[in-house]
Amino acid sequence: MTTDARIPLSRQRVLRTAVALADEHGLRAVTMRRLAEELGAEAMSLYYHVAKKDDVLDGIVDVVAQEINEAVARLEPGPDWRRTARRRILTAREVFLRHRWAPPLFETRSSTSLAVLKYYDGLVGVMRDGGFSHDRIHHALHALGSRALGFSHEVFDPNAGASAEIPAELAAQLPNLVGMLSEIAHDDPDSTLGWCDDQAEFEFGLDLILAGLDLLRDR
């Protein structure tokens, strides 16, 4: 992937190229040297638009978060807070499925993107309109965690490419895990953002939390 060097450099162009590079080759491919090659520019010229690699990483978080905000803005609002919140979260997840490298990056940034805060502001608004107090919403955001943005943490997270199979020498000591793993299967890799984070598991957890919040609201 090489972009047209005749197009003037700008911060937005650098960040969009970084996102495309990460989509195609993974986040590790996003280096200042590689970006310069993709843009057909000298590496030093990038520093007029991004201060350093950390600035690029913060910037591409903004780009993805803005993509999420644009996607949820197209949703038609409804009277049911739970259905509206669910649609917003699953729409955000669709964006992350297009940028599978993004969830761990979102979790590791030390500063919070304004675009991310705007997403959460919209979710708070949905819950306020649904009859929640600010106190309940505060607890709800903690309960949802990263799931509010469309991805979740893994219970088990082996190294990339590692097998989930439990070694024979340990199987006798872990009969319940062995029994569970022998029956379950995750066969939809396109819906996965982590080792075991497929769409059905994500929606199960999301629905469980939203249903619980609905009960608390009614109390």
Side-chain angles (χ1 to χ4, degrees):
M1 179 188 66
T2 302
T3 55
D4 193 335
R6 294 171 296 178
I7 303 173
L9 279 182
S10 66
R11 179 177 176 84
Q12 191 66 9
R13 185 181 168 213
V14 171
L15 296 179
R16 290 287 181 186
T17 301
V19 168
L21 190 57
D23 287 344
E24 188 171 354
H25 300 289
L27 193 59
R28 288 186 179 181
V30 180
T31 65
M32 299 301 278
R33 177 178 294 180
R34 185 69 180 273
L35 271 175
E37 291 174 359
E38 294 293 316
L39 290 161
E42 295 293 331
M44 290 303 296
S45 64
L46 299 187
Y47 293 99
Y48 290 103
H49 308 284
V50 289
K52 53 184 177 179
K53 184 178 177 180
D54 271 350
D55 190 22
V56 173
L57 297 180
D58 287 338
I60 61 178
V61 164
D62 279 334
V63 170
V64 173
Q66 185 56 39
E67 187 177 335
I68 291 171
N69 288 336
E70 290 170 0
V72 299
R74 291 191 290 269
L75 298 175
E76 291 291 333
D80 184 336
W81 82 268
R82 185 168 154 189
R83 181 176 296 179
T84 301
R86 188 180 194 275
R87 289 176 64 213
R88 286 176 64 90
I89 291 169
L90 293 181
T91 297
R93 180 177 174 81
E94 289 173 5
V95 174
F96 279 111
L97 285 167
R98 293 196 291 269
H99 308 294
R100 295 170 184 268
W101 48 268
L105 180 62
F106 270 61
E107 292 183 317
T108 57
R109 304 322 295 156
S110 58
S111 58
T112 303
S113 156
L114 177 59
V116 172
L117 292 176
K118 286 182 176 179
Y119 172 82
Y120 277 107
D121 185 76
L123 185 58
V124 169
V126 167
M127 297 189 73
R128 280 294 284 171
D129 291 344
F132 284 85
S133 68
H134 283 135
D135 182 62
R136 281 278 193 256
I137 295 170
H138 173 240
H139 290 307
L141 293 180
H142 278 290
L144 284 163
S146 66
R147 200 179 296 269
L149 263 173
F151 61 91
S152 59
H153 298 282
E154 294 287 3
V155 177
F156 303 107
D157 192 11
N159 295 327
S163 171
E165 187 175 341
I166 295 175
E169 61 270 20
L170 292 179
Q173 302 177 54
L174 305 169
N176 298 304
L177 278 175
V178 170
M180 179 186 73
L181 292 173
S182 67
E183 292 186 17
I184 64 169
H186 294 277
D187 55 3
D188 188 6
D190 288 339
S191 70
T192 296
L193 285 171
W195 179 62
C196 193
D197 175 25
D198 73 1
Q199 191 72 20
E201 300 299 347
F202 182 85
E203 292 188 28
F204 176 84
L206 177 61
D207 289 339
L208 199 64
I209 294 170
L210 294 179
L213 292 172
D214 222 9
L215 288 174
L216 287 175
R217 182 198 61 156
D218 291 341
R219 290 178 187 174

